[in-house]
Structures are given as structure tokens and as C-alpha cells.
Amino acid sequence: MKVLKFGGTSVGSPESIKEVAKIVSNIEGQKIVVLSAMSQTTNVLHQITDAIGASNFEEANSIIDMMIDRYKTVIEGLFETDTVKNTASAFIEERFDFIKSYAHEGSVEVIAAIEKIIVAQGEILSTNLFSMYLNEVNTAASLLSAFDFMRIDAAGEPDSEFITESLGEIIAANAATDIFITQGYICLSHVGDIDNLKRGGSDYSASLIGAAIEAEEIQIWTDIDGMHNNDPRYVDNTFSLKEISFDEAAELAYFGAKILHPQSVIPAKEKNVPVLLKDTFNPDSAGTIIRNCTVPNKVRAIAAKDGITAIRIKSYRMLMAYGFLKNIFEVFEKYKTSIDMITTSEVAVSLTIDDDTYLEEITKELENIGSVKVDTDLSIICLAGDFSQQQKGASAAIFSSLTNIPIRMISYGGSNYNVSLVVNTEHKIQALQDLNKGVFENN
Ligand code: ADP
Ligand code: ASP
Ligand code: MG
């Protein structure tokens, strides 16, 4: 069994939905097709909840009406027969009426819960339309509700045991089905409320499903021909990598390579299920395979993650006392805030976080331990590759590329697969471009 995930752009128009149907039909054997919402849908659903949250019900309703028009155009372009067009229209009207039913004063106090219900509609719409399309072109498929098997626990982590068990039962009960279709991104919480796996979470859904069923392969179909060596949004002349290891891919995803959700490599890696990144709009290009492989001894790819806050805690003593680090870590543990990078000197520790929800509380408590300095608007630049052996010249190439960029922190040696630097976000694009020249183009 294979898992095939198609992202927002891949299902973003009637033409691309038809392309997806072709790709799915051309892949042999049983498969689970995981779909994102059509491109921009999740963003617009967030705008609707924002309007409701601000009591701008008129605005919410007018955005909903615009969405209805957009989906009606999709229906016109996607389906042939009037009967299917009518069924699809009735379906989207029913979904948008449901969203409209929240556009009133009473919703404002419970907006956090309603937001999750509303943003879930994007994947419900795309999977239903795709399923109706396959039906119209006489391709047999079963639509599964992600709510029947995708669940997170009280800590917000995927409940792997539940997912494996429920999905196993569903598949066993439908042994003759070749194509299953289901929603990415959405799930239920441990108490059964509608929830999601955070932005870009359909990749994570695909990986969790692939791991749960121990799939032969997980394919992530998107709008680019695989993992590039640098961020193509900011750097010219990037190229697709043929093969990368799970560890490299996990580092790159975690540190900002938008092609993959930050956590999405982990379930696949744990079950050793290869992940193939493919281009929906150029299906013949090889893409990138992520699997257990030995990595050439050099820098393979660069990614950057914004929204980083650095905190420096300087010991009140002349030297760091025994227990200093433990006391610091306990503060972060108390506020469930994970630390991405850490560097130390004999008197001070610098560390970075990307979730600043409890920054004020954390800073206050750290001030009992030492003097605290907070810097915001930073980016982590991650260089992934094999750094496990003494690489002559690798770090020299990295640092000599960055002579014009002030570096706030450096982490080297924490893992075998990564060197990370922290810079001001205003210098990020220049740093990515300079590194591209120094590390890839000059070699
Ligand atoms: P999808 O909607 O299919 O999930 P995303 O927009 O989430 O697609 O991810 C694909 C995008 O990721 C690409 O269009 C590209 O701009 C961006 N991207 C950022 N870094 C990389 C990288 N290193 N390799 C490939 N794509 C990247
Ligand atoms: N539709 C969701 C989002 O836009 C999930 C995804 O596309 O992966 O974040
Ligand atoms: Mg994505």
C-alpha cells in the first residue's frame, strides 16, 4: 500500500484536480490519497474566523459568499454532467451554510473552538469534490473521514496507537478497495473535538498514515520537483536533490524547508518508510527520495526558519555554578517551550525558542537565575549534510561566505547532520544567497 499526498496547489484548480486523478490512477496497487484544501482556502477560512472573532459578521459573510462563487466556478470546470454539478453545488452550499451558522455574536467567546471547526472545512471540501470527480469518471474509490482515525493526545501529539488501530480496522473492512481518499491536516482532539495538525499539516497526516499502515512508500506531490539545496523562494539557481537521508530531511523540514511540515519526516523515519517528493506539474521529473542512506560528506542543503527569539542568561557569579543549566531548563520545561539551539560560554548561556507564548513569564523566572537579554526577529539558518567526520574546509566555506553578515549564534557538533547559525531576519535572504555562492556555486 502507498500513501499519496497532494498539496494545495496540486488540487488548486479543476485542471490540476484532473491531473491528480490521472496520477492516482496510473500508480498501481492499493493507495491512500491524502488531500490538502485547495490553495488559499485555509488562509481564507482563517480570515473568516478572524472576522467572526472581531464581530465583523458582515465581512465574514461577504468572504463566505466569495468562496461560494469560487467553488461554483471550480464545479463548473471540474464536472461534465448536470446531475453531478448539482450534487456538488448542494454539497458546497451546505458546507458554507454551516460556516455561516457561526457568523453571529454568540461565537465570539468560543472563537478558538470554532476556528478549528471552520478551518477543517477546506479539506472536507477538496476530498468530497475529488471523490465526486473520481465517481464521475468511473474510478472506484472510498472516501474516509480523517475524524475516524486521526487523533491527537492531551499533549497535542499524534496518538499513534489509536491511529494504527483504527486505520487498520477500516482498511481490513474495505479489503477490496483500491483507492482510499482522506483529508490531510484535520483530526480530533483527545476529547473528540475537531482539531488540526497545524499549518501545512497534511504532510504530517500522510506520514502518520504511512507509518501506521507501514506503507511501501509515502509520496508527497507538490508544486516543485523535490527538496532543493536552498530555498527557491529567495535564492536563484537552486537544484533538486536526488536523494537525502531521513535525518537531513528532518533537520531541513524542522528548520524551515517549507516543502515539508516540520514534524512530518519523523513518523516515516521511525517505521523506515521511504518518502518520495514529486512534482504534480512535472510528474516525469525524478523528485527527491528520502530514505535511510549514507550521506556524502558535505553540505547538502540550506533552510531558514523565521520567528526566532534568542535569550541570553548571564550567571550572577563569575563562573557558571553547578546546577545553573538545570535551573534554566526547568523554567522552559515548566512553560512547555522547546529550545531549538543552545550555546554556552563560561558565564553565560544563549538559547533560542520559536514559540514566544510564555516569553514574559519565562524571562521573569530566568531573572532569578541570572541577568537576561532577549533578542527577537531572528532567523535560524540550518545547513544540513554529513558533519560527522572531520571535514576539512567545510566550516571555512560556511564562514567565509558570511563575511558581510553579523552572526548572533553558531551551533556545530550538536548533531552529525547540521550546522546552525542565528542571524537577524533582515539579513536572512542575503545570508542564504551568500551561502549558496560560497558553499555550492564556488565548488
Ligand atoms: P503544498 O501546498 O503542496 O504542501 P507547500 O507550499 O507547502 O506545498 O511547499 C512547497 C513549496 O515549498 C515550494 O513551492 C517552495 O517554494 C517551498 N520551498 C521552500 N524551501 C524549499 C526547498 N528547500 N525545496 C523545495 N521547495 C521549498
Ligand atoms: N490546508 C492546510 C494549510 O493550508 C494544511 C496543508 O495544506 O497541509 O495549512
Ligand atoms: Mg505544504
Side-chain angles (χ1 to χ4, degrees), residues 5-10 36 200 203 221-224 226-233 256-260 302-303:
K5 178 259 171 176
F6 294 86
T9 332
S10 302
S36 294
D203 302 326
W221 290 80
T222 181
D223 57 6
I224 190 164
M227 177 70 81
H228 279 220
N229 66 313
N230 204 332
D231 196 321
R233 291 169 298 176
K258 193 193 169 223
I259 189 170
L260 288 170
I302 305 172

Side-chain angles (χ1 to χ4, degrees), residues 109-291:
E109 301 91 74
V110 281
I111 194 68
I114 287 169
E115 175 170 48
K116 294 192 169 151
I117 298 171
I118 292 180
V119 299
Q121 303 309 313
E123 273 68 14
I124 294 174
L125 287 164
S126 64
T127 48
N128 274 275
L129 292 178
F130 185 65
S131 162
M132 287 177 205
Y133 177 71
L134 288 188
N135 196 22
E136 192 184 42
V137 297
N138 293 318
T139 305
S142 301
L143 179 59
L144 307 180
S145 171
F147 297 140
D148 290 338
F149 60 86
M150 194 54 77
R151 190 165 86 176
I152 49 175
D153 62 20
E157 295 298 325
D159 184 344
S160 302
E161 214 171 291
F162 179 83
I163 300 167
T164 305
E165 226 169 79
S166 328
L167 204 50
E169 280 167 19
I170 294 169
I171 291 168
N174 294 279
T177 302
D178 249 356
I179 304 175
F180 294 97
I181 303 163
T182 193
Q183 302 83 27
Y185 178 57
I186 61 176
C187 63
L188 291 185
S189 72
H190 69 294
V191 290
D193 291 337
I194 292 185
D195 216 315
N196 62 63
L197 302 173
K198 312 247 167 73
R199 293 308 304 266
S202 298
D203 302 326
Y204 201 15
S205 303
S207 182
L208 288 164
I209 292 170
I213 62 168
E214 302 199 21
E216 176 194 336
E217 185 172 78
I218 298 161
Q219 299 183 355
I220 307 280
W221 290 80
T222 181
D223 57 6
I224 190 164
D225 58 345
M227 177 70 81
H228 279 220
N229 66 313
N230 204 332
D231 196 321
R233 291 169 298 176
Y234 310 118
V235 180
D236 294 333
N237 305 322
T238 60
F239 52 86
S240 167
L241 300 162
K242 272 205 165 56
E243 181 182 59
I244 53 174
S245 70
F246 284 119
D247 295 310
E248 287 177 306
E251 296 274 8
L252 289 166
Y254 186 74
F255 287 112
K258 193 193 169 223
I259 189 170
L260 288 170
H261 173 282
Q263 266 83 43
S264 60
V265 180
I266 298 157
K269 177 188 149 112
E270 278 171 358
K271 290 286 167 68
N272 198 16
V273 181
V275 180
L276 179 61
L277 307 178
K278 288 281 286 181
D279 187 350
T280 305
F281 306 98
N282 186 5
D284 293 333
S285 69
T288 301
I289 183 85
I290 303 168
R291 62 176 163 212

Side-chain angles (χ1 to χ4, degrees), residues 334-348:
K334 179 171 166 192
Y335 291 101
K336 292 196 163 56
T337 300
S338 61
I339 297 169
D340 280 335
M341 249 175 88
I342 176 156
T343 58
T344 64
S345 76
E346 76 279 21
V347 289

